[in-house]
Amino acid sequence: MDKRLWIGIMVTKRNSRKRILALCQRYQSQNLRLYAFTPADIRWKMQRISGLSLKNGKWIQRIFPFPRVVYNRCFNKVSMTIQRLEKIIGKSMCFNTINHFNKWDIYNQLQQSSLSQYVPRTFQYHEVNLAEQLEVNNLLFIKPIYGSRGTSVYRIDRLENGDIHISLHSLAPRIICRKNESIQEKLDEILGQKTYLVQEGIQMSRLDRQYFDIRVLVQKGKVGQWKIASIACRVAHEHYFNTSMCESVYEVAEILHRLYASEKANEILQSLNDVSVIAAQEAETLMGNLGELSVDFVLDKQSKLWIIELNGMPQKSIYEDLKGFKLKDLYRKPMEYAYHLTQS
């Protein structure tokens, strides 16, 4: 009889099950049995789940027992399903319980931690006077509190003549607010009813006139400890500030050594490692059990690191462009962490 433990991978939609399960199964090395399911597939009264598995190259749809561990791949803000699952399979036996992070909550968590020096000042949009803030800092960013992939992130620039440029994705202004016009009224029209944050703008260091950020992927593995899995630089298209729409992706060491002397580049690299692990620990304190996340940084013109945001379900596809990078490691680590949880 096969006594291997079942690991469940919970996804949002049924048509996502094959793709995600195939990736996880292809790269897992713990000899685990995996199946994928959606929240709608859970039969609570029976304590069974209608799921999809892959065996000997064939897809099998059947009824499974509740898994020992659940790897949550639903991009969710609340964890009602996870809470119900944990009442049955055990507390902390699901990971990535909440992975659609509330940026305001994350900001406050980091601001009250040892990482406060790395966090740009941030305010809730409805509680701040933008005109006054632009007097203090002539560059601001407006972000949705639950945004992702740079969607609806507005750049607000106050020029020397008093005009204010409002840009989306590219540096070219979508709207110009003249000196005698109300910036708040203009933005209220654009933003609608969603909840937004105002983040102090950082005068970013550039690579050949192009903006870039640094994405640190942090994952847990066999021993259940946070470790750096990859650090990449995303370089935006020329005349764009949104690095989510990047032109190219590089290993961070390559970029840092192009910009700085070796000693400085290594110092920044060490800081990226140390700060990212602490940021992951802080996020987990707030969000519950996590197995992976990414921390996005920028460097200012004085070479200081700033945390721009944390992502609870980072895109792994960006690493496909890195030469010699073993993408399989990024998919293997969550399976190793799932195995670790089965041993607790």
Side-chain angles (χ1 to χ4, degrees):
M1 184 178 174
D2 192 341
K3 293 185 178 180
R4 290 176 300 165
L5 298 165
W6 282 112
I7 305 298
I9 303 168
M10 188 165 73
V11 301
T12 307
K13 297 177 182 177
R14 285 194 163 197
N15 60 10
S16 302
R17 295 181 305 171
K18 283 187 179 181
R19 179 180 61 83
I20 294 171
L21 180 59
L23 284 168
C24 292
Q25 185 141 320
R26 186 185 312 157
Y27 297 126
Q28 67 106 350
S29 57
Q30 303 303 314
N31 204 26
L32 298 168
R33 296 194 292 174
L34 313 179
Y35 68 85
F37 67 98
T38 71
D41 292 326
I42 305 172
R43 302 184 180 183
W44 295 104
K45 289 183 180 178
M46 292 174 57
Q47 292 204 5
R48 291 289 185 270
I49 296 176
S50 174
L52 187 71
S53 66
L54 182 60
K55 187 175 182 179
N56 300 326
K58 293 183 178 179
W59 295 102
I60 300 168
Q61 172 76 40
R62 71 177 182 86
I63 302 298
F64 293 90
F66 270 50
R68 184 73 178 89
V69 173
V70 171
Y71 172 27
N72 179 34
R73 292 283 304 174
C74 297
F75 196 38
N76 63 319
K77 302 173 186 175
V78 293
S79 60
M80 294 299 293
T81 302
I82 299 287
Q83 287 171 20
R84 289 185 72 182
L85 280 168
E86 287 192 333
K87 284 182 180 177
I88 298 167
I89 68 175
K91 189 165 175 58
S92 298
M93 299 310 285
C94 301
F95 64 99
N96 293 5
T97 48
I98 294 176
N99 49 31
H100 196 175
F101 292 168
N102 179 310
K103 289 181 169 56
W104 179 243
D105 290 344
I106 290 286
Y107 166 74
N108 283 295
Q109 182 73 23
L110 297 180
Q111 185 63 34
Q112 294 166 35
S113 75
S114 61
L115 301 183
S116 58
Q117 62 179 305
Y118 296 97
V119 184
R121 290 187 312 144
T122 302
F123 311 91
Q124 295 195 68
Y125 174 75
H126 65 273
E127 291 182 358
V128 69
N129 184 309
L130 280 177
E132 287 180 4
Q133 288 303 316
L134 285 165
E135 292 289 338
V136 177
N137 188 332
N138 59 15
L139 176 62
L140 300 172
F141 287 92
I142 314 291
K143 298 181 171 186
I145 200 166
Y146 276 111
S148 63
R149 302 190 182 184
T151 305
S152 300
V153 174
Y154 291 89
R155 177 185 167 114
I156 316 297
D157 285 281
R158 181 178 174 274
L159 280 54
E160 288 183 7
N161 65 2
D163 287 353
I164 298 170
H165 286 187
I166 303 172
S167 309
L168 180 67
H169 304 312
S170 73
L171 295 170
R174 289 282 183 101
I175 295 172
I176 297 175
C177 183
R178 301 300 180 189
K179 191 175 180 179
N180 60 345
E181 295 179 303
S182 167
I183 179 66
Q184 204 93 39
E185 288 180 12
K186 292 270 188 187
L187 281 168
D188 285 346
E189 290 176 17
I190 300 169
L191 302 181
Q193 298 302 310
K194 279 188 181 178
T195 309
Y196 284 81
L197 299 178
V198 179
Q199 189 177 74
E200 177 183 24
I202 304 301
Q203 296 294 344
M204 294 165 58
S205 178
R206 299 194 209 183
L207 179 73
D208 300 329
R209 301 191 305 277
Q210 289 173 273
Y211 288 107
F212 70 91
D213 70 359
I214 302 170
R215 169 159 285 191
V216 183
L217 180 62
V218 199
Q219 293 179 307
K220 292 179 183 172
K222 292 178 185 176
V223 296
Q225 299 294 318
W226 289 110
K227 292 189 179 300
I228 306 305
S230 176
I231 310 181
C233 278
R234 300 183 300 177
V235 181
H237 292 275
E238 194 167 358
H239 308 304
Y240 279 72
F241 66 86
N242 184 357
T243 53
S244 294
M245 305 164 69
C246 60
E247 180 182 81
S248 50
V249 179
Y250 296 91
E251 282 280 1
V252 69
E254 180 181 344
I255 299 299
L256 292 179
H257 284 97
R258 281 168 65 177
L259 294 172
Y260 305 105
S262 289
E263 187 176 349
K264 183 63 177 176
N266 291 335
E267 178 190 316
I268 293 170
L269 195 55
Q270 187 61 53
S271 294
L272 286 165
N273 278 270
D274 296 343
V275 171
S276 297
V277 168
I278 298 171
Q281 292 166 346
E282 291 293 336
E284 192 166 41
T285 299
L286 186 67
M287 297 295 175
N289 192 20
L290 298 171
E292 61 186 354
L293 56 78
S294 64
V295 189
D296 290 350
F297 294 86
V298 296
L299 281 159
D300 69 16
K301 291 181 178 179
Q302 286 72 47
S303 309
K304 179 181 178 347
L305 282 170
W306 294 91
I307 297 173
I308 298 303
E309 64 184 43
L310 272 61
N311 295 283
M313 201 157 84
Q315 274 180 284
K316 295 187 176 107
S317 58
I318 69 165
Y319 302 100
E320 292 172 1
D321 295 332
L322 296 179
K323 291 179 182 176
F325 185 78
K326 294 180 180 177
L327 192 65
K328 62 185 180 182
D329 291 345
L330 305 187
Y331 291 98
R332 179 183 295 138
K333 282 289 189 292
M335 296 299 96
E336 290 178 349
Y337 181 53
Y339 177 76
H340 166 78
L341 289 176
T342 68
Q343 305 305 296
S344 57

